[in-house]
């Protein structure tokens, strides 16, 4: 079997294990003695001692994917590839990516544009390219129904018609999504419109993508095996845009971070080491009416958040993930990484203030309205099932009228934490356990965390792309659960595209 078919992360180690104590840490220690009592911010009493403050590797920024305009369409080309990547200095991992061996370039397009994607599969196994969070016809969505065989090219085209936001793309092959995504097949898909002018938008300078994945590393620094947890496989080290222990040397005092949790299972409870507030400006599907000040932000796999971080002169801080509660038993929370503290990114700021104020108002994305709801549905999450069923590619679980707005009530009655993602829409979370949802879930969303015992109500607007034969998916985005079959399918119908008889009905009639 070739390297991309293996079950585990089985990287080869070349060279010595990474040295954990950097030179700067040592110098810092000596400095602390020499200048004790001085007001150096990094010597402040009570600040947690953490490797994050010594991160030195410049943060990689995924390149923007080039495009060309052909017949009025913006045309992009992607190739699914595999290989080995030195994700940690001295340690090579078997990885997969788009246009490279790990992650993929950032795709950027403007609302209103027609785009065309050519995706070539250079892997030795089938893959797909799914545009997560995009509102588009089901035939273009890159689900298991649009499988790309090795050495084939698949093309998708649609018109972008949704607000400025940070989406992403990743494979969705039947039963193999965890393998391919956790090895690195993930990239950002940024949509621009003219409403986000108030936000920093110089890509890679003050508008920074952060794609967070976790990998397993053994105590000696060699590659390890991810821990099997109730929510999927958990790595013990984080890699940001392919960078281990990254440092972002900001040249401006206001930095916009587009954060994507591209991990298979791990959730991140993000905060700043200074405990300062940051400003949430966007959720999965668009911007908020105005920035919301937060000190913590919990992101489950596939969720995105856009935040602004205001850096005071000479700032040196760490974005980190801290313990959180996934609602499971104590042991299951621990196994699922919920009690870990992980340093993600060191951010240093300029010594003097450089441009940028947090805007008062943003061009906000319109939320679907309760008044438009015509149909209500209920879904119950089991350990790996939705309404007691496991994914069947030939079964349509839900038939929905094109253009309808529906209320979906989703209850997690299982022993595990889950999240819930619906393709082809951006929804509003109207309540969690009967109460107003937390700030981070008040904008447009396509994925929402549903901890054990929780019930969420979603107002889901469906598009006009009626197609009774090609389904969209909805599923848990903890990828091991998804691969286990925690996924179902819906079709959009209208008068010209009436529901098709189910396979069982066909047997009855023929
Ligand atoms: Cu991120 Cu079904 O997808
Ligand atoms: Cu999706
Ligand atoms: Cu799940």
């Amino acid at each position: 079997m070739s390297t991309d078919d293996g079950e585990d992360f089985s990287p080869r180690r070349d060279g010595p294990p990474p040295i954990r104590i950097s030179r700067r840490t040592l110098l810092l220690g000596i400095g602390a003695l020499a200048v004790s009592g001085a007001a150096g911010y990094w010597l402040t009493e009570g600040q947690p001692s953490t490797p994050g403050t010594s991160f030195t590797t410049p943060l990689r920024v995924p390149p923007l994917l080039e495009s060309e305009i052909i017949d009025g369409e913006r045309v992009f080309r992607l190739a699914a590839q595999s290989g080995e990547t030195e994700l940690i200095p001295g340690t090579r991992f078997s990885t997969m990516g788009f246009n490279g061996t790990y992650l993929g370039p950032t795709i950027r397009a403007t609302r209103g544009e027609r785009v065309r994607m050519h995706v070539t599969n250079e892997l030795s196994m089938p893959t797909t390219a799914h545009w997560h969070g995009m509102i588009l016809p089901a035939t273009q969505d890159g689900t298991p129904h649009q499988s790309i065989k090795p050495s084939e090219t698949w093309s998708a085209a649609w018109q972008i018609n949704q607000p400025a936001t940070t989406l992403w793309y990743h494979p969705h092959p039947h039963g193999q999504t965890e393998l391919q995504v956790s090895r690195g097949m993930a990239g950002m898909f940024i949509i621009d419109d003219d409403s986000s002018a108030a936000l920093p938008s110089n890509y890679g300078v003050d508008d920074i993508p952060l794609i967070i994945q976790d990998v397993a590393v053994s105590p000696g620094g060699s590659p390890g095996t991810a821990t099997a947890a109730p929510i999927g496989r958990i790595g013990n080290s984080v890699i940001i845009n392919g960078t281990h222990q990254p440092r972002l040397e900001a040249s401006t005092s206001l930095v916009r971070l587009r954060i994507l949790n591209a991990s298979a299972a791990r959730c991140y409870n993000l905060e700043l080491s200074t405990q300062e507030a940051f400003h949430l400006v966007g959720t999965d599907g668009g911007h908020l009416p105005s920035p919301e000040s937060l000190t913590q932000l919990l992101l489950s796999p596939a969720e995105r958040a856009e935040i602004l971080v205001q850096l005071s002169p000479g700032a040196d801080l760490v974005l980190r993930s801290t313990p959180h509660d996934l609602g499971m038993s104590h042991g299951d929370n621990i196994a699922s990484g919920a009690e870990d503290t992980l340093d993600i990114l060191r951010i240093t700021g300029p010594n003097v203030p450089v441009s940028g104020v947090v805007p008062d108002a943003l061009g906000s994305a319109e939320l679907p309205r309760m008044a438009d709801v015509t149909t209500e549905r209920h879904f119950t999450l089991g350990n790996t099932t939705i309404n007691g069923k496991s994914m069947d590619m030939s079964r349509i679980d839900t038939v929905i009228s094109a253009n309808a707005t529906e209320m979906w009530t989703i209850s997690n009655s299982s022993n595990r934490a889950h999240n819930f993602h619906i393709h082809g829409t951006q929804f509003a979370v109207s309540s969690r356990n009967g109460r107003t949802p937390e700030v981070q879930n008040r904008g447009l969303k396509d994925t929402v965390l549903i901890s054990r015992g929780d019930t969420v109500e979603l107002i889901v607007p469906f598009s006009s792309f009626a197609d009774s034969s090609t389904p969209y998916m909805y599923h848990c985005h903890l990828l091991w659960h998804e691969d286990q079959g925690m996924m179902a399918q819906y079709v959009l119908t209208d008068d010209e595209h009436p529901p098709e008889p189910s396979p069982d009905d066909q047997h009855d009639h023929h």
Side-chain angles (χ1 to χ4, degrees), residues 130 132 168 170 172 421 423 475 477:
H130 168 55
H132 179 121
W168 66 300
H170 64 80
H172 217 298
H421 166 52
H423 285 214
H475 57 91
H477 218 294

Side-chain angles (χ1 to χ4, degrees), residues 99-171:
N99 298 2
T101 60
Y102 183 72
L103 298 183
T106 296
I107 299 172
R108 195 154 196 175
T110 303
R111 183 172 193 171
E113 277 189 311
R114 303 194 144 274
V115 295
R116 180 171 296 271
M117 325 296 307
H118 297 296
V119 187
T120 301
N121 182 0
E122 297 177 7
L123 307 173
S124 58
M125 60 169 81
T127 192
T128 84
H130 168 55
W131 324 105
H132 179 121
M134 196 72 74
I135 296 163
L136 77 184
T139 50
Q140 314 301 300
D141 197 32
T143 71
H145 295 277
Q146 291 93 38
S147 182
I148 316 170
K149 294 198 190 87
S151 76
E152 283 188 351
T153 297
W154 174 72
S155 298
W158 69 95
Q159 182 169 25
I160 295 193
N161 187 18
Q162 64 193 95
T165 194
T166 303
L167 307 180
W168 66 300
Y169 62 97
H170 64 80

Side-chain angles (χ1 to χ4, degrees), residues 437-485:
E438 42 302 315
V439 167
Q440 69 177 87
N441 286 315
R442 292 187 199 156
L444 285 175
K445 295 289 293 173
D446 56 50
T447 307
V448 63
L449 179 64
I450 309 179
S451 297
R452 177 181 167 214
D454 275 10
T455 294
V456 298
E457 291 180 305
L458 312 178
I459 303 173
V460 193
F462 291 95
S463 73
S464 60
F465 301 117
D467 177 343
S468 36
S469 54
T470 310
Y472 296 93
M473 317 285 121
Y474 52 94
H475 57 91
C476 177
H477 218 294
L478 303 179
L479 299 179
W480 178 65
H481 293 173
E482 177 184 335
D483 285 348
Q484 294 288 302

